[in-house]
């Protein structure tokens, strides 16, 4: 009875915490062998799998090392499984799983990966395959997964964003002249990460983030410029958080503008909405303005939330437990109480997560104060605690896949 | 007998370590009052100065707190002093210094600030002003100050760059397809910071940074694309470090291309050379390519080198000692030995620093291996050690100017 685990979709800073939970649970549940699949489901398809050395894993405290190692250590993929069960890929997958005597396959991923999990389970039912179970374990920095209080990965991104903004504010404030700095934050459809930047205002003497625009906002460019003019009456240097997916109601920031714009090499300009708004502020308000993109550091960083890491580990651990019970339910976190942070673990059907998106509730978006208060209650506990990083010669050192697995 | 200190130019992550050294030395040298000037010399001109509470400073270990606080806590300015000594600004400065019975003014800054220091001292000689001394204390992330082994501020930026690249590499490697990621690093004329990215290769199993281009390089776009094609034979996912000031020999990346390029709003595109090269790689090699700008986090970050912080503190401390000896010499660091890292403190005339730029030696630029080996010896010791950050509610907390100074 063997176990296999894989990681899929975009990375997070705690996706390896979930991996650690899966492996520890696999050891505790007495699996004979624990395999890892490289590059998501592609590793199973192409027989690119490795064997975990359980003894070394426990002895060398690899779980702790994995918690400090950002981004999918097993690699990832964006593979979309065919909907047609006659596709030869299904036979290949289940032949390779059978060859390695796998009874449980844990897939750590976002809503696309839950779609894969759902399809594999449907195929199992359809073909009456026995003795194998496929279970999902959630992750995403975007916090847009349905069926749970929050997604593992979100807290660490939010923590990185807040730490960056606190340092950025130190920089923004140094000159005694008016300026507007747009900080572009990940989130194409949901503004959770951008909204998490409001946590930086907590216990700060003035507003650290002065204005915020998320995809859920319906706002015009004129309104934004008006907001900026008003804020500049109170404060010289503004920090404006902007989700990469924010678009104004009039379509000035529409997709066409982005994709029809050519740079000097006759290519579409790919830089984002923050830069566009900075250009507009300079042009229309004649105020020094710039944009800062927090970019992929948001999903792969050494600043990791202790709470997030612990929860991601627990979900990985629980995924194996649930898999042993032969359910296909996905482990999730829920909150007991909105006032005091306390979570409990439960489970949902993968199709309750797949291909859906959780947005910021409309009632939170009434005004910035309302959003800020709701985000304090909701997200402040999620960024608490720090995962310790080991430095050697001044640089962080991370565990390597070869440190606890070997080729088979 | 009173002391005043100010910060000027671009921020660094250890410019407040130097401030801590100045204040501690001011206390130890028995100054009656220690003032800080807000926004560089502008604070003296406009009488915007504050008084340090020496008792609280010592009691609450404010030196330690300042070492963890990135970016100029006193604010900064880009004020260029008039060369004409008849300008009324000189009278204003010295009237305000006299009013507050200042005998020593320490100016922490880069080569522009050393120009200010030089001018003020010339004015003192010219006007035969007695009982006042002006002394500079160096800082810059760019490491381009002449007269010293390295600049305080450089080590922390290099440390941040290396920590970021280690995390970025975890992200870059996750997909099993060819890709080129350009990382744009600060440095308009000198490539020190970009070259420091090679430290990330130290003790890493393969090359973490695969290619590097600095302003000191004379290279064509064709050569770069060739280098990339060659590297892709050994490795799928390339990380290419590029200094923002790098320009190719044929002028494809010339200033005109940048400034004549208009975006959708008919503005010059300000995004940088990394994005241009990523566009070229996509167009000419048909390979997935993107650019990441490390941006202002390089000069204001919570990842601070312990070595850099200690040295910056020592230079600040020494600046006051030198000022007491009534010299105008600027404290600097030199290295005793290239093999074993050991520094000594000495001093140079401010005009040996002002308006000059130290570049990477040409002999280091023969090839990447030579540059890498030289950078290991030169810069690896500078990023060693970590300055401890205090987190509350999951966020770093910084000391505030009001915590140890008061209005006068």
């Amino acid at each position: 009875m063997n176990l296999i685990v894989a990681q899929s979709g975009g990375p997070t800073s705690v996706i390896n915490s979930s991996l650690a939970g899966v492996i520890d649970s696999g050891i505790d549940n007495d699996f004979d062998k624990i395999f890892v699949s490289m590059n998501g489901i592609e590793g199973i398809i192409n027989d690119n799998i490795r064997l975990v050395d359980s003894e070394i894993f426990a002895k060398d405290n690899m779980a702790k090392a994995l918690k400090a190692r950002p981004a999918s250590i097993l690699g990832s993929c964006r593979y979309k499984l065919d909907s047609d069960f006659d596709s030869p890929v299904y036979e290949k997958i289940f032949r390779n799983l059978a060859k390695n005597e796998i009874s449980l396959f844990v897939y750590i991923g976002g809503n696309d990966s839950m779609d894969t999990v759902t399809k594999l389970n449907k195929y199992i039912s359809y073909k009456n395959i026995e003795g194998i179970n496929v279970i999902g374990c959630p992750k995403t920095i975007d916090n847009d997964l349905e069926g749970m209080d929050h997604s593992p990965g979100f807290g660490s991104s939010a923590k990185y964003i807040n730490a960056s903004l606190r340092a950025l504010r130190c920089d923004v404030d140094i000159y005694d002249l008016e300026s507007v700095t747009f900080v572009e934050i990940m989130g194409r459809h949901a503004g959770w990460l951008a909204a998490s930047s409001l946590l930086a205002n907590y216990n700060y003497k003035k507003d650290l983030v002065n204005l915020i625009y998320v995809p859920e906002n319906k706002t015009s460019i004129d309104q934004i410029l008006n907001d900026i003019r008003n804020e500049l009456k109170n404060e010289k240097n503004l920090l404006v958080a902007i989700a990469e997916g924010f678009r104004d109601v009039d379509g000035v920031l529409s997709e066409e503008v982005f994709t029809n714009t050519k740079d000097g090499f006759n290519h579409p300009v790919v830089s984002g909405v923050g830069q566009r708004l900075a250009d507009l502020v300079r042009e229309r308000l004649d105020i020094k303005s710039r944009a800062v993109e927090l970019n992929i550091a948001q999903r792969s960083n050494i600043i990791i939330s202790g709470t997030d890491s612990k929860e991601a580990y627990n979900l990985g651990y629980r995924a194996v437990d649930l898999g042993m019970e032969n359910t296909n339910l996905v482990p999730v976190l829920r909150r007991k109480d909105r006032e005091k942070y306390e979570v409990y673990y439960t489970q949902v059907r993968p199709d309750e997560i797949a291909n859906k998106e959780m947005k910021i509730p409309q009632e939170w978006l009434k005004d910035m104060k309302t959003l800020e208060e709701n985000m304090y209650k909701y997200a402040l506990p999620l960024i608490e605690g720090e995962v310790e990083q080991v430095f050697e010669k001044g640089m962080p050192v991370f565990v390597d896949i070869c440190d606890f697995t070997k080729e088979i």
Side-chain angles (χ1 to χ4, degrees), chain A residues 44 55 58 100 156-157 161 166 169 221 232 241 247 291 297 312 371:
Chain A
I44 295 175
E55 210 167 304
N100 292 296
S156 293
S157 285
I161 289 165
R166 290 240 160 164
R169 173 52 86 177
I221 297 289
L232 283 168
R247 297 294 178 263
L371 182 57

Side-chain angles (χ1 to χ4, degrees), chain A residues 4 36-49 77 96:
Chain A
I4 195 163
V36 297
S37 166
M38 304 307 289
N39 297 108
I41 187 104
E42 286 178 5
I44 295 175
I45 297 169
N46 306 321
D47 219 5
N48 183 13
I49 70 178
C77 69
N96 282 335

Side-chain angles (χ1 to χ4, degrees), chain A residues 18-60:
Chain A
S18 291
L19 174 63
V22 169
I23 296 175
D24 271 349
S25 188
I27 295 170
D28 293 347
N29 276 296
D30 292 325
F31 277 92
D32 296 316
K33 289 178 181 168
I34 301 169
F35 295 105
V36 297
S37 166
M38 304 307 289
N39 297 108
I41 187 104
E42 286 178 5
I44 295 175
I45 297 169
N46 306 321
D47 219 5
N48 183 13
I49 70 178
R50 299 174 64 92
L51 179 66
V52 174
D53 187 325
S54 304
E55 210 167 304
I56 283 180
F57 193 85
K59 187 169 68 67
D60 291 354

Side-chain angles (χ1 to χ4, degrees), chain A residues 75-86:
Chain A
S76 185
C77 69
R78 293 277 187 196
Y79 192 92
K80 197 149 174 88
L81 261 186
D82 208 320
S83 294
D84 178 6
F85 287 158
D86 291 332

